[in-house]
Amino acid sequence: MTFVQTKGTGWSDGLHPFTINIESNMVNGKKDNISVTFDNSGTTWMVDRTTQSNFQRNSHEFTERLGQFVNPRGQTNEVSYFTIYGFVDRDILEVYLNDGEITMTNTFFFGDGRVPADISVHSGFDESFVTIKDLTVKAYGLKD
């Protein structure tokens, strides 16, 4: 995905995130999700891998939220632009920011055998502080 910053404060105001959500399938009436959120004011990507997993919830070594400052990839018509792409497997999220300039590898733990099943991109703004220039999503089957 390539996007440009347009206006607004973004995630830092607590109300208007630009987020990529990765949601699990439903097992025993429950779903899990992890998210990657862009903070416009600090040009920071945040990965939130908080789930319902007992291991994750009870392990003091496991950090649920991680952040990474990212400079814009470049400028187009006086607005900054960024790129992000990644891969999601059963329990690994690989994120590549600005064509791999910065990478984030994250292990996550969905509970009860749940696996990633859906990806959505959304913003809390009626008029978002970003404009998506291109977006490609490909699904590959998970092997048993």
Side-chain angles (χ1 to χ4, degrees):
M1 169 177 26
T2 302
F3 68 93
V4 296
Q5 288 175 293
T6 51
K7 59 182 176 178
T9 56
W11 180 80
S12 60
D13 68 5
L15 301 173
H16 305 100
F18 172 62
T19 302
I20 302 166
N21 264 334
I22 301 158
E23 189 173 60
S24 75
N25 59 331
M26 187 171 296
V27 175
N28 297 327
K30 295 181 182 177
K31 290 184 176 186
D32 276 321
N33 77 298
I34 58 174
S35 62
V36 182
T37 300
F38 182 71
D39 176 356
N40 190 41
S41 64
T43 63
T44 303
W45 282 98
M46 305 290 291
V47 174
D48 184 349
R49 54 190 185 159
T50 305
T51 68
Q52 300 173 35
S53 165
N54 285 330
F55 164 77
Q56 185 173 309
R57 306 301 294 160
N58 297 321
S59 175
H60 65 277
E61 291 95 7
F62 190 87
T63 304
E64 294 182 330
R65 293 174 187 89
L66 306 159
Q68 178 63 55
F69 170 79
V70 180
N71 283 313
R73 182 75 178 127
Q75 296 268 322
T76 302
N77 299 326
E78 299 184 24
V79 294
S80 298
Y81 72 91
F82 300 81
T83 64
I84 180 172
Y85 66 93
F87 299 94
V88 181
D89 202 345
R90 290 182 188 275
D91 56 7
I92 296 285
L93 170 65
E94 291 275 350
V95 177
Y96 301 89
L97 305 167
N98 291 340
D99 297 325
E101 179 181 304
I102 295 175
T103 62
M104 299 172 77
T105 301
N106 298 274
T107 304
F108 58 90
F109 302 94
F110 286 165
D112 296 330
R114 290 184 281 276
V115 296
D118 188 42
I119 295 176
S120 61
V121 179
H122 62 88
S123 173
F125 276 125
D126 288 336
E127 292 184 31
S128 181
F129 60 90
V130 299
T131 300
I132 296 174
K133 293 296 185 185
D134 66 70
L135 172 65
T136 303
V137 177
K138 296 180 182 179
Y140 300 97
L142 296 174
K143 292 184 178 182
D144 289 332

